Structures are given as structure tokens and as C-alpha cells.
């Protein structure tokens, strides 16, 4: 009965709170610790030869080994879904990291060009709207071809995504969307 209530609690929690927001939440880590403790308790109760009533309680507790193994493979100690949750998640995260590195390298090379360097507030890429951008002097914004994303609170800096990385960042965005969908599917399965 207790485990049925617990399962219902987590179903309601994730349904009402939005399943996609569960990743990285302490509740997943708490659930993992709970499953570990419940599994150990079940084994300890079953091993009690001199206490038949307690042993009977242990026998009545569902065997959580399969569920526990799935959680241990899928959730890290902080409640984040681990790359090992599914091969697809691992592949998506690997590809995301590769494209992020490629975009950073291209932006670094672009920012080091003499004709571009004089237009920048900083040669280091920033992130706006989930995309890598360069901090450009506002008065020079039109001299760098690309997408305008934001400006600083003072208006002195414009954040521009140079056209040399737009296509890679579009690919990156698609992969991030796929990653979120995979995370949602994994959380529903768990």
C-alpha cells in the first residue's frame, strides 16, 4: 500500500509540475536514495530468520531491484539525468558538445580577425537566447553580418550572432530540442 501511494505521489508531482522540469530536481535524487534504502530494508527484513513477522513484512514489500537499477543507471546524485540513461541521450549530448566546441572555435577565429576585433567589446563569446554571440560596440552593430539578439542595459553593447555560425547554431538548437524530448520520454518511463 505504501509503495502504491508513493508511486501515485510521484505521478501527480510530475504531472502537475511538468515532467520536463523534473530533470535536475532534488526529488529525483531523493527518490533514488529512497529506492536504495527501501531495497536494503527489504533485504534486511527478509534475512531476519528469528523475527518471522518482520520477515513477512519484508517478503510483502515489492522487489525494487529492476526499478533501482534503472534509476541508478539514469539519475545521478544531484537528480540530473545521466548520459547513461539511454544511448540516444548520450549521443545527443555528445553531438551537442561537439557543435558547441565548433561554434566557439569559429567565433574565436572570427573575433581574432583584425577587421572584427576593433568592433568588439569583448573577444569572448557570450550566450543570449541560448545561442553564442559576440559583444559588439553598439555603433558598429551593422558592420558584422549576422543576427542581432540583445543589447546591454546601457545600450553600449549589442549582442550579435555572426552569420558564420548561424547554421551550426540552428543544428545545435535542433539537438537541444531533441535532447529535451528524450529527457521527457525518459522521465515518463521512470
Amino acid at each position: 500500500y505504501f509503495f502504491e501511494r508513493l508511486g501515485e505521489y510521484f505521478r501527480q508531482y510530475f504531472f502537475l509540475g511538468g515532467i520536463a522540469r523534473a530533470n535536475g530536481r532534488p526529488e529525483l535524487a531523493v527518490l533514488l536514495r529512497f529506492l536504495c534504502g527501501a531495497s536494503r530494508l527489504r533485504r534486511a527484513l527478509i534475512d531476519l530468520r528469528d523475527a518471522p513477522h518482520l520477515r513477512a513484512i519484508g517478503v510483502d514489500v515489492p522487489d525494487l531491484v529492476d526499478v533501482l537499477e534503472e534509476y541508478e543507471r539514469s539519475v545521478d546524485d544531484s537528480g540530473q539525468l545521466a548520459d547513461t540513461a539511454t544511448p540516444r541521450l548520450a549521443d545527443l549530448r555528445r553531438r551537442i558538445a561537439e557543435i558547441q566546441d565548433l561554434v566557439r572555435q569559429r567565433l574565436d577565429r572570427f573575433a581574432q580577425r583584425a577587421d572584427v576585433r576593433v568592433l568588439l567589446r569583448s573577444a569572448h563569446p557570450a550566450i543570449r537566447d541560448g545561442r553564442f554571440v559576440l559583444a559588439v560596440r553598439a555603433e558598429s552593430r551593422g558592420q558584422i553580418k549576422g543576427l542581432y539578439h540583445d543589447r546591454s542595459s546601457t545600450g553600449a553593447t549589442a549582442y550579435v550572432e555572426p552569420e558564420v555560425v548561424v547554421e551550426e547554431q540552428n543544428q545545435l538548437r535542433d539537438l537541444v530540442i531533441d535532447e529535451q524530448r528524450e529527457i521527457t520520454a525518459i522521465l515518463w518511463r521512470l
Side-chain angles (χ1 to χ4, degrees):
Y1 172 75
F2 172 75
F3 288 98
E4 291 170 8
R5 293 282 312 254
L6 182 68
E8 184 58 29
Y9 165 77
F10 277 100
R11 275 191 292 281
Q12 287 178 4
Y13 170 79
F14 289 131
F15 178 73
L16 294 174
I19 191 77
R21 290 185 301 192
N23 186 34
R25 298 290 302 263
E27 289 83 354
L28 287 177
V30 168
L31 181 58
L32 178 59
R33 287 191 299 273
F34 172 80
L35 290 171
C36 288
S39 185
R40 284 193 307 270
L41 176 62
R42 179 183 186 275
R43 281 192 306 273
L45 290 173
I46 290 173
D47 289 344
L48 292 174
R49 303 283 183 224
D50 297 337
H53 295 299
L54 291 176
R55 188 171 198 275
I57 291 172
V59 169
D60 286 342
V61 172
D63 186 359
L64 302 173
V65 171
D66 292 340
V67 175
L68 179 58
E69 287 175 359
E70 180 75 13
Y71 267 84
E72 285 177 330
R73 183 172 54 79
S74 301
V75 180
D76 68 19
D77 292 338
S78 69
Q80 290 285 339
L81 284 182
D83 292 353
T84 55
T86 65
R88 177 167 166 67
L89 184 62
D91 181 58
L92 286 167
R93 288 181 173 173
R94 179 191 54 76
R95 291 169 51 201
I96 287 169
E98 287 173 357
I99 292 179
Q100 284 175 334
D101 287 344
L102 175 67
V103 168
R104 276 193 217 100
Q105 289 171 11
R106 284 196 176 175
L107 279 177
D108 286 343
R109 281 195 306 270
F110 183 77
Q112 294 307 315
R113 288 180 21 194
D115 62 324
V116 173
R117 189 174 38 233
V118 297
L119 306 173
L120 302 178
R121 291 257 178 229
S122 170
H124 302 291
I127 295 180
R128 290 292 184 277
D129 299 323
R131 296 173 78 97
F132 291 99
V133 295
L134 291 176
V136 179
R137 297 177 196 284
E139 65 274 8
S140 304
R141 178 179 123 193
Q143 295 180 38
I144 293 183
K145 291 183 181 179
L147 304 174
Y148 170 71
H149 282 273
D150 198 4
R151 69 170 187 243
S152 65
S153 59
T154 64
T157 304
Y159 295 95
V160 177
E161 177 182 347
E163 66 182 5
V164 297
V165 294
V166 169
E167 186 52 40
E168 286 82 5
Q169 296 218 86
N170 288 342
Q171 292 172 12
L172 183 59
R173 181 71 184 133
D174 284 340
L175 288 170
V176 168
I177 290 169
D178 290 345
E179 177 193 29
Q180 288 305 310
R181 288 182 178 150
E182 181 67 8
I183 287 170
T184 300
I186 293 165
L187 291 172
W188 272 112
R189 188 185 75 240
L190 290 176

